[in-house]
Structure formats: structure tokens, C-alpha cells
Amino acid sequence: MNDLTKGSPLKLIFWFTIPLLIGNIFQQFYSLSDTLIVGQTLGVKALAAVGSTGSVQFLIIGFAQGLTAGLSILTAQHFGAKDYQGVRRSFAISIVVSLIVGLILTVISMVLVDHILVLMQTPADIMADARTFLQIMLGGMLAPIGFNLLSNIIRALGDSRTPLWFLIISSIINIGLELLFILVFKWGIAGASWATILAQLIATLMCVVYIILRVPVLHIGWRHFKLSMAEVKAHLNVGLPMAFQMSIIAIGTIVLQSALNSLGTNSVAATTAAQKIDQLATQPLMSFGVTMATFAAQNYGAHQYERIVQGVKQTMWLSGGFSVAAGVIEIIWGKQLVALFVGHGDVAVLNLSQTYFNVIGSTYILLSMLFIMRNTLQGLGRSAIPTLAGAAELFMRVFAALILVRLLAYPGACMSEPLAWLGSCAVLLPAYVKAVHELRLREREEQQLHVAPTEVVEAGVKN
């Protein structure tokens, strides 16, 4: 375990982020291998079918993943305060809540999957494959929920390396199973989804074994499941806003995906392939943001308020540099990267993907600021403002889908992301400035509490 309340903030943040970054990249290999293998072996239509379901998965599975991330923040705060019984109770609450939510979401999503695909105007020529892929992914969502919960809890204790190793192993397993199921067993697009679910299930089991063998602070018994309503409410007050925030953002993505589907299979395929590159390019930005949630939570629990401000300021500069570099790479070499997925023959798809990169890559600095401010506020337990920021993202994406796509066609769809980031930052920035002011006030109060007793003692000695 790693205590983030002592030592150089920038050094701790950087070394905590590196395993997290590598882990997030391997996390992307789940969907990346789906795209690469499906696109090269089953064709562009199958690739579009996988891509057309991404926003639905983001809506449903993303809700549960946002919930687990929020629940782990309370665990990190208890750990920073050295309240280890609180850590165990928080872990037990997180398990119960995640399991209940996961089961409910599984049932609801399986009932509504056909209706959702129709509402999204999924093209008829990819409807069957999209349904097959989505049904398996949503039916097995407890596997990714379990892995996200356990890996978030382990990271809350300051360990970002162990989940990395589990991701590497499961990513390799995912690729191997996908090739086996598609090329040998001839399962088609269903093979891609089954491979992903099984690989994530294996990652979940590895986390369980590791906790049993190596993390005694997370060893829980039946007594820890005797939950008080106050504790459950405290966790839900942080977890649910983060879950709804993910869903609000996802709703905007679904509306946009529906508009994108109306532009045809080439637009869907180009966006699907380009987004895989985009997701890899933005992993450093996302990883720095996730790190700040744990860093802020631990230091908040330890009453190290000025340290939080210092860490955020340093990380802003570091993440901003990565955002500029990532944007330049995409704009210059994006088309060549997309050719890895669709080949060099689909010129229309390649040209559309370059449009995507030109718009998205030039505005990554907004995304960098968004991740750090949002996750820092969440680490402080202030989840309401990030949820409002998610609503701003929803508004901007709906505006792009309903107005800009009609006016500008595909470029209008591409502009939705920068507009969403801008809307979110407009909400987050004032809240972050206010939070910094309050943290510095608390820091001064803490210093006065420590100084006052010292002055009393010195006065007594003089007398």
C-alpha cells in the first residue's frame, strides 16, 4: 500500500500515475482488440456494429463503474485518516451496493436492448450483429463491474501497480480468446464479446485472490456487513452522483451516436476506428485525473489541505503538456493509425477519420483541465458539481446532434466533444476555485490549532 500524504506531491503523483496509465492503456486493449480483430477478420460492417453499441455500454456499464469509483473515494479517505476499521466497513458497503446495482442493471438492459438499438437508428445492415454483441456484453456486465470495484478499492489504498499486472494478463487472455473464438471456433462477432467478458472475469478473480493473500486491511467478515444506514447513505451520497454523472454524459453520447448512425456506415466506421486512437491518446489525461481523486481523498482524510492544492497545480502543468503532444501526433499521423483498422482501401473512411482528429486533437487541453478538476472535486467528496458538469456535457452533445450535424454533417458530429468539454469546464472551474479557497482556509485553521497549544506551553514555562 502507498501513503500519498507524505513526500513530494509531484513525485508521488507521477509514479502513481504511470502504472495507472499503463493499466488504462491495457484496459483499452479490450475494446481495441475487438475493433482491430473484428475489422480485419469480419469486415467494416462488423466493425460498425461493434462501434454502434459503444455508447449504450457506456450508459449502462458506465453507471456501475462510476458508482464503484465513487464508493472507493470513501475508502481512500478512511485510509488517509488511518481508520482501518472504516476501510473494511467501506469495502463491505461497496460490495453490497455494487452487486445489487449490477443485478438490477443486467435485468433492465437485457429487456430493453432491442428498443435501445431501434431508438438509436442503428443501420439495418448491422442491426443483427449489434444486437448479438450488445446482449452478451450487457448480460455479463457483473464481470467488468467486479473488476472495476476491486481495482478501484486497491488503488484507493495507494496501490496502482497490482491492478496493472492483472490488466496486462487479462488483456493478453482477451486477445488470445478473441482469435480463438473468431478464427478457430467461427463464432463471429459473438466471439469478440465472449472473449472480453471471460477475460474480465479472470481479472476479477485475480483481484480476489490478491486481496486474500496480500491485503489484510481488506479482510472482511460477516460483522463488517452489519451496515448502518448512515454509512450506506454517506457512500451513496458520493457514489450515486458519480454514477449519474457517467450516465448523463452517456445519454449525450447516445443521442450523438444516433445522429451519427443517420450519416451512414462509413461515418460510424470512421468514428469507431478514430475513437480507439483517441481513447489511447487521452489515457495520460484520464490517468492523471484518476490519480488526483485518490491523492485528494487520502490527503483530505489526513487534513493535508494545502498539499492538495500544491499537487493539483503541479499536475495541471504536467497533464497539459501531454495533451498538446497527443493532439499534435493525432493531427499528423491519425490517418495512418486508422488504416491499421480498416486498411488503406477505404479512402472515404480514412478521410472522415482525419476530420475527426483535426477537430478533437486541437482541443485536448480542455479535456486535461476537465479530468483534473472533476476528479479532485470528487476526491474531496463533492460529487454534486461534477454531476452538473455532466449535465452541461449532455446539453452540448444534444446541441451538436440536433443542430450541428444537420448543418455541417460529419464535422458537426466531431465538434460535439470539444463543445462538451468546454461546457463541463465552465461549470467545474468556479467550483474548483471555491474549493481551493476553502482548503486554504482549513489549512490556516489547522495551523492555528497546532500553534495555539505551543504558545500556551511556552507561556507557562516563562511564568
Side-chain angles (χ1 to χ4, degrees):
M1 302 301 103
N2 189 14
D3 188 348
L4 301 180
T5 65
K6 299 175 182 178
S8 167
L10 183 60
K11 183 178 179 181
L12 286 168
I13 289 167
F14 181 80
W15 289 112
F16 186 91
T17 300
I18 293 302
L20 188 62
L21 169 60
I22 299 172
N24 283 340
I25 290 174
F26 273 93
Q27 181 82 56
Q28 292 302 317
F29 280 177
Y30 285 125
S31 58
L32 184 62
S33 60
D34 287 339
T35 305
L36 184 60
I37 295 173
V38 168
Q40 292 289 353
T41 61
L42 301 178
V44 171
K45 287 186 178 180
L47 173 65
V50 172
S52 68
T53 66
S55 55
V56 180
Q57 294 181 63
F58 183 27
L59 171 65
I60 299 173
I61 299 178
F63 180 91
Q65 291 175 341
L67 177 70
T68 60
L71 295 173
S72 68
I73 285 174
L74 273 295
T75 309
Q77 289 184 357
H78 285 300
F79 186 76
K82 306 298 188 293
D83 177 14
Y84 300 124
Q85 284 303 314
V87 169
R88 294 184 178 96
R89 289 196 303 272
S90 178
F91 185 31
I93 292 171
S94 300
I95 291 173
V96 172
V97 172
S98 298
L99 183 60
I100 292 173
V101 170
L103 289 173
I104 292 173
L105 289 177
T106 299
V107 173
I108 293 175
S109 61
M110 293 300 288
V111 171
L112 298 178
V113 61
D114 284 338
H115 302 286
I116 293 173
L117 289 173
V118 171
L119 287 174
M120 290 179 61
Q121 303 181 58
T122 305
D125 57 343
I126 63 173
M127 175 66 79
D129 280 345
R131 180 187 299 109
T132 298
F133 186 83
L134 191 58
Q135 283 178 333
I136 297 171
M137 292 297 293
L138 296 181
M141 77 168 69
L142 283 178
I145 290 173
F147 177 65
N148 275 275
L149 170 64
L150 297 179
S151 60
N152 281 327
I153 292 293
I154 292 171
R155 291 190 190 103
L157 306 186
D159 180 4
S160 61
R161 293 185 179 90
T162 300
L164 163 64
W165 290 110
F166 297 155
L167 274 170
I168 292 173
I169 294 170
S170 61
S171 296
I172 294 171
I173 292 172
N174 181 54
I175 293 171
L177 289 176
E178 201 158 3
L179 292 171
L180 176 67
F181 293 162
I182 293 177
L183 298 180
V184 179
F185 292 174
K186 306 298 182 183
W187 287 0
I189 203 167
S193 50
W194 277 118
T196 299
I197 293 298
L198 289 174
Q200 291 184 329
L201 178 60
I202 291 171
T204 303
L205 295 176
M206 287 190 289
C207 286
V208 171
V209 172
Y210 175 76
I211 288 172
I212 293 173
L213 297 179
R214 302 295 297 274
V215 193
V217 73
L218 293 180
H219 289 182
I220 55 178
W222 289 113
R223 68 183 184 278
H224 297 108
F225 287 93
K226 296 178 181 178
L227 311 178
S228 71
M229 287 305 299
E231 288 179 312
V232 173
K233 183 178 179 180
H235 282 72
L236 292 177
N237 283 342
V238 178
L240 284 179
M242 289 182 66
F244 284 117
Q245 171 199 321
M246 295 291 287
S247 292
I248 289 170
I249 295 172
I251 291 170
T253 305
I254 288 178
V255 173
L256 181 63
Q257 183 69 55
S258 177
L260 191 63
N261 289 344
S262 69
L263 297 177
T265 300
N266 281 343
S267 294
V268 176
T271 305
T272 300
Q275 282 179 341
K276 301 308 175 185
I277 307 300
D278 171 52
Q279 289 164 4
L280 286 174
T282 57
Q283 286 311 304
L285 316 184
M286 183 183 300
S287 299
F288 279 121
V290 173
T291 295
M292 291 315 300
T294 302
F295 179 83
Q298 282 197 16
N299 282 279
Y300 189 78
H303 297 185
Q304 299 283 344
Y305 304 121
E306 184 61 35
R307 181 180 172 83
I308 297 172
V309 178
Q310 180 186 1
V312 172
K313 186 184 298 183
Q314 293 172 341
T315 308
M316 281 276 194
W317 284 102
L318 194 58
S319 182
F322 273 102
S323 70
V324 173
V328 170
I329 290 172
E330 278 193 356
I331 292 171
I332 296 176
W333 292 293
K335 188 182 292 187
Q336 289 86 337
L337 293 171
V338 168
L340 295 174
F341 298 95
V342 300
H344 293 277
D346 290 295
V347 177
V349 172
L350 293 176
N351 289 336
L352 289 171
S353 69
Q354 186 61 55
T355 300
Y356 180 94
F357 290 133
N358 291 342
V359 175
I360 299 296
S362 60
T363 53
Y364 276 154
I365 189 69
L366 290 173
L367 185 61
S368 172
M369 295 174 58
L370 187 160
F371 279 136
I372 292 175
M373 290 190 295
R374 183 171 69 192
N375 282 277
T376 299
L377 290 171
Q378 289 169 341
L380 299 175
R382 306 183 183 195
S383 298
I385 294 298
T387 303
L388 291 177
E393 290 189 48
L394 169 62
F395 175 80
M396 290 298 193
R397 286 195 175 94
V398 171
F399 170 75
L402 299 181
I403 306 298
L404 295 185
V405 171
R406 292 183 180 180
L407 294 176
L408 305 174
Y410 188 70
C414 296
M415 291 174 63
S416 67
E417 290 300 314
L419 286 174
W421 303 339
L422 181 62
S424 184
C425 286
V427 175
L428 291 170
L429 184 58
Y432 170 72
V433 171
K434 180 181 178 181
V436 168
H437 177 69
E438 292 175 357
L439 288 173
R440 285 177 169 156
L441 284 177
R442 290 195 177 193
E443 182 70 21
R444 286 195 288 269
E445 291 172 359
E446 290 284 330
Q447 291 175 350
Q448 290 172 359
L449 287 174
H450 284 87
V451 170
T454 302
E455 292 175 343
V456 171
V457 171
E458 291 177 349
V461 171
K462 291 178 181 179
N463 291 333

